[in-house]
């Protein structure tokens, strides 16, 4: 197998890892106003993703960096042509990070409400726009002979791409709801599981139409098979959720997102960005790639560091595997008292500020 093909596969794996892991973070954040009916439930939800969300974002950084190094022409065309939607995603991720990090720093209901709005918007916007972006990438965009995108922002908001955005949004909402059901206990667990089933039905209906539209024009037998398996995994996950088996339910959405993403990359190969103006102007794994020497060095780096990253993330998920119940969350009165004591008691510098 050529190095260009190997790196195309590795980048696909990075995007799969990003969507299946960061996908439930997006879902949990966007569902905050729906499932988080009081402060205790909101802290349970945010506590469920607290140890993971920033580590999950590393997959995006690595995917972007790998694309830049392995396929610089792909990176340049993608980030210049999709500049505005990618900027909106970046701003949303920054806003969400601020909300998650600073929510518990001020003991004020209005402060926490503002941080919650930042978390909700910063989760929903990327969940929608990633579907729009990937639908356009796979179906093709206007690229000229100089490998430059010659369309406009509104060209990206075509009906099929917007449908793709709704698919990723509803899939991530389902994924997030089932993650909350898996990681919490009490009334929140049951409400999240029931909501996940309802959202999953909507996501499945939208996904079937979207995958058919995408693969009918670009896909082949392998990508179509992966799409069918993705739909089957989602249905199996929803059936498991109905019977109260949250672990299998979350596994179902996990596998469904992974297979759906894999089907898009299989449909795309050997192109990396097809041109709708002339197939000869499409960016491929060959004309968009770096030199063989660069790819060779990167391959050895990946061989050394990828297992380390996987081991670290596996250890993190194992360490924080237990459910979060309501009694694990301090009451608002206790939270306010500890916060006030920490602020006023300079003689107790060893007492940390309680955060959500």
């Amino acid at each position: 197998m050529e190095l260009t093909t190997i790196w195309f596969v590795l980048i696909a794996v990075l995007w799969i890892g990003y969507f299946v892991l960061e996908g439930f973070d997006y879902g949990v954040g966007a569902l905050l106003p729906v499932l988080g009916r009081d402060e205790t439930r909101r802290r349970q939800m945010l506590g469920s993703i607290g140890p993971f969300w920033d580590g999950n974002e590393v997959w995006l950084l690595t995917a972007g960096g790998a694309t830049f190094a392995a396929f610089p022409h792909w990176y340049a065309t993608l980030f210049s042509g999709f500049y505005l939607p990618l900027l909106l995603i970046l701003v949303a991720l920054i806003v969400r990070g601020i909300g998650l990090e600073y929510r518990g720093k001020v003991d004020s209901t209005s402060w926490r409400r503002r941080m919650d709005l930042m978390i909700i918007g910063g989760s929903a916007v990327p969940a929608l726009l990633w579907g729009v972006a990937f639908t356009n990438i796979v179906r093709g965009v206007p690229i000229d002979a100089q490998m430059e995108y010659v369309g406009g922002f509104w060209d990206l908001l075509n009906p099929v791409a917007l449908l793709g955005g709704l698919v990723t949004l509803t899939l991530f909402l389902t994924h997030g709801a089932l993650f909350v059901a898996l990681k919490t206990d009490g009334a929140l667990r049951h409400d999240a599981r029931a909501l996940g089933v309802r959202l999953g039905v909507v996501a499945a209906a939208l996904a079937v139409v979207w995958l058919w539209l995408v693969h009918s024009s670009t896909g082949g037998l392998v990508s179509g098979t992966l799409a069918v398996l993705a739909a089957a995994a989602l249905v199996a996950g929803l059936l498991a959720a109905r019977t109260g088996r949250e672990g299998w339910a979350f596994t179902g959405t996990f596998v469904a997102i992974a297979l759906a993403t894999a089907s898009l990359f299989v449909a795309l190969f050997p192109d990396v960005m097809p041109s709708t103006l002339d197939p000869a102007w499409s960016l491929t794994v060959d004309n968009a790639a770096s030199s063989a020497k660069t790819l060779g060095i990167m391959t050895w780096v990946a061989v050394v560091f990828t297992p380390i990253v996987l081991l670290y993330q596996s250890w993190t998920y194992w360490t924080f595997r237990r459910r979060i119940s309501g009694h694990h969350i301090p009451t608002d009165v206790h939270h306010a008292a500890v916060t006030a004591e920490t602020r006023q008691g300079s003689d107790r510098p060893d007492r940390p500020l309680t955060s959500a």
Side-chain angles (χ1 to χ4, degrees), residues 210-272:
W210 174 64
L211 288 171
W212 179 79
L213 289 173
V214 172
H215 289 285
S216 62
S217 58
T218 61
L221 178 60
V222 177
S223 61
T225 302
L226 290 174
V228 171
L229 292 175
L234 178 59
V235 171
L238 297 180
L239 292 175
R242 286 180 59 87
T243 59
R245 294 178 291 179
E246 290 99 348
W248 285 110
F250 180 74
T251 301
T253 55
F254 187 102
V255 173
I257 294 172
L259 291 177
T261 307
S263 74
L264 295 180
F265 277 93
V266 172
L268 187 60
F269 186 82
D271 293 336
V272 293

Side-chain angles (χ1 to χ4, degrees), residues 138-221:
V138 176
R139 297 186 76 237
V141 291
I143 298 174
D144 63 14
Q146 286 71 45
M147 297 185 178
E148 294 182 0
Y149 174 76
V150 293
F153 171 72
W154 298 109
D155 294 327
L156 301 176
L157 301 181
N158 56 79
V160 179
L162 291 174
L163 175 62
L166 292 176
V167 169
T168 53
L169 176 60
T170 53
L171 271 177
F172 292 161
L173 289 175
T174 304
H175 200 38
L178 294 179
F179 183 76
V180 172
L182 178 65
K183 289 291 294 178
T184 63
D185 212 344
L188 176 58
R189 172 186 178 182
H190 301 288
D191 291 346
R193 187 174 65 219
L195 179 62
V197 173
R198 294 196 296 271
L199 288 170
V201 172
V202 176
L206 294 174
V208 168
V209 178
W210 174 64
L211 288 171
W212 179 79
L213 289 173
V214 172
H215 289 285
S216 62
S217 58
T218 61
L221 178 60

Side-chain angles (χ1 to χ4, degrees), residues 4-349:
T4 54
T5 303
I6 291 174
W7 272 97
F8 180 86
V9 173
L10 289 176
I11 289 173
V13 170
L14 290 172
W15 280 107
I16 291 171
Y18 175 65
F19 285 142
V20 298
L21 296 176
E22 189 74 338
F24 67 74
D25 290 339
Y26 289 151
V28 173
L31 289 174
L32 205 57
V34 180
L35 292 173
R37 299 170 189 168
D38 54 48
E39 181 62 14
T40 297
R41 287 169 66 118
R42 286 191 288 273
R43 291 189 196 173
Q44 280 182 268
M45 294 176 66
L46 296 177
S48 69
I49 63 173
F52 312 121
W53 69 269
D54 48 355
N56 293 340
E57 286 189 349
V58 173
W59 289 82
L60 174 61
L61 299 175
T62 308
T67 304
F68 173 76
F71 300 100
H73 295 296
W74 183 13
Y75 183 93
T77 304
L78 176 63
F79 277 79
S80 61
F82 290 43
Y83 180 81
L84 186 54
L86 292 177
L87 177 63
L88 291 175
I89 290 173
L90 177 61
V91 171
L93 293 178
I94 293 172
V95 168
R96 186 186 68 141
I98 293 173
L100 290 168
E101 290 287 354
Y102 287 90
R103 186 182 189 276
K105 302 302 182 182
V106 176
D107 182 36
S108 166
T109 301
S110 60
W111 171 268
R112 289 193 288 270
R113 187 179 299 115
R114 287 194 293 270
M115 294 299 105
D116 288 346
L117 290 175
M118 294 170 68
I119 295 169
I120 295 164
S123 300
V125 169
L128 176 72
L129 290 182
W130 280 129
V132 173
F134 266 84
T135 302
N136 281 300
I137 291 172
V138 176
R139 297 186 76 237
V141 291
I143 298 174
D144 63 14
Q146 286 71 45
M147 297 185 178
E148 294 182 0
Y149 174 76
V150 293
F153 171 72
W154 298 109
D155 294 327
L156 301 176
L157 301 181
N158 56 79
V160 179
L162 291 174
L163 175 62
L166 292 176
V167 169
T168 53
L169 176 60
T170 53
L171 271 177
F172 292 161
L173 289 175
T174 304
H175 200 38
L178 294 179
F179 183 76
V180 172
L182 178 65
K183 289 291 294 178
T184 63
D185 212 344
L188 176 58
R189 172 186 178 182
H190 301 288
D191 291 346
R193 187 174 65 219
L195 179 62
V197 173
R198 294 196 296 271
L199 288 170
V201 172
V202 176
L206 294 174
V208 168
V209 178
W210 174 64
L211 288 171
W212 179 79
L213 289 173
V214 172
H215 289 285
S216 62
S217 58
T218 61
L221 178 60
V222 177
S223 61
T225 302
L226 290 174
V228 171
L229 292 175
L234 178 59
V235 171
L238 297 180
L239 292 175
R242 286 180 59 87
T243 59
R245 294 178 291 179
E246 290 99 348
W248 285 110
F250 180 74
T251 301
T253 55
F254 187 102
V255 173
I257 294 172
L259 291 177
T261 307
S263 74
L264 295 180
F265 277 93
V266 172
L268 187 60
F269 186 82
D271 293 336
V272 293
M273 285 191 75
S275 173
T276 56
L277 301 179
D278 188 334
W281 296 344
S282 298
L283 276 68
T284 68
V285 293
D286 294 321
N287 64 20
S290 293
S291 66
K293 183 176 182 180
T294 300
L295 295 177
I297 295 173
M298 290 174 57
T299 301
W300 284 110
V301 172
V303 168
V304 173
F305 288 101
T306 300
I308 297 175
V309 173
L310 292 176
L311 286 173
Y312 171 76
Q313 280 216 298
S314 299
W315 173 82
T316 302
Y317 279 89
W318 176 257
T319 301
F320 296 98
R321 65 189 182 277
R322 298 186 183 279
R323 293 182 181 271
I324 301 175
S325 301
H327 66 269
H328 294 139
I329 308 297
T331 63
D332 288 343
V333 174
H334 175 70
H335 178 264
V338 172
T339 303
E341 179 185 345
T342 306
R343 287 175 177 167
Q344 297 171 6
S346 59
D347 58 326
R348 297 288 304 279

